[in-house]
Amino acid sequence: MRFVMVWTALLLASAAALLAPQARADPPPPPVAGPVPALGRSWPVGVRPPVLRGWEPPATVYGPGHRGVDLGAPPGAPVRAVAAGRVLFAGRVAGRGVVSVALTGTDLRTTYEPVRPSVAKGDEVAAGEAVGSVEAAGSHCGPAPCVHWGLLRGETYLDPLALLPPWLLARGPSRLLPVTP
């Protein structure tokens, strides 16, 4: 009788383990709906700022990666909205100035930090309009100052460079080089 009870308990435990959802310490990232439209009309800083660190998407929601692009910019330089939108947040987070803009006609929002905001929550901004200036402190680029530019759809981070049209990303005209043997 004891043998039957142990055997039944093992079968029930096995069935429960098979039917229970698998627990994950790190859930997969949610799917991204649709491509990012190239609706940007200007870089956030400068004309063609150096990209100090590019976007490195994480493999999982909480995994390592770089959820934005770091653009070299001197302290005090204007930080501009890449596209028209409405300011969702302008203030301090963890000691850094942050501005977040919901882009008009999309489900996207951009973030800029460290920035001394010149706008307030609810303000409408045009493409290329200044939303603040680069703060000297708070950059995570080491000794070089930079602006961390992010792009989100919901809670999913995307490559902010995808907002810029090809003509704005171009690094100069094509050059033909001589063919050498």
Side-chain angles (χ1 to χ4, degrees):
M1 185 67 169
R2 181 188 288 224
F3 178 75
V4 172
M5 289 174 41
V6 169
W7 198 232
T8 303
L10 283 173
L11 283 174
L12 288 174
S14 297
L18 288 174
L19 294 175
Q22 295 293 323
R24 293 178 183 235
D26 206 4
V32 176
V36 174
L39 50 87
R41 293 296 166 251
S42 67
W43 284 89
V45 290
V47 177
R48 279 200 179 100
V51 176
L52 303 178
R53 185 174 177 195
W55 182 63
E56 300 164 16
T60 60
V61 175
Y62 302 108
H66 191 240
R67 293 159 174 83
V69 174
D70 293 335
L71 304 173
V79 177
R80 304 182 184 288
V82 297
R86 184 176 44 82
V87 176
L88 293 175
F89 179 83
R92 301 202 74 72
V93 175
R96 292 184 181 145
V98 177
V99 173
S100 178
V101 177
L103 304 182
T104 303
T106 72
D107 58 350
L108 302 169
R109 67 185 186 280
T110 56
T111 58
Y112 312 92
E113 67 172 282
V115 174
R116 178 172 290 114
S118 60
V119 292
K121 180 180 179 178
D123 288 353
E124 295 288 329
V125 294
E129 184 178 337
V131 295
S133 59
V134 179
E135 288 185 330
S139 167
H140 66 247
C141 295
C146 73
V147 169
H148 180 82
W149 174 31
L151 174 66
L152 294 108
R153 174 178 280 136
E155 298 301 316
T156 302
Y157 286 88
L158 305 169
D159 183 1
L161 292 177
L163 285 172
L164 300 178
W167 61 267
L168 206 51
L169 289 170
R171 298 288 184 220
S174 298
R175 291 190 173 87
L176 296 176
L177 300 175
V179 177
T180 57

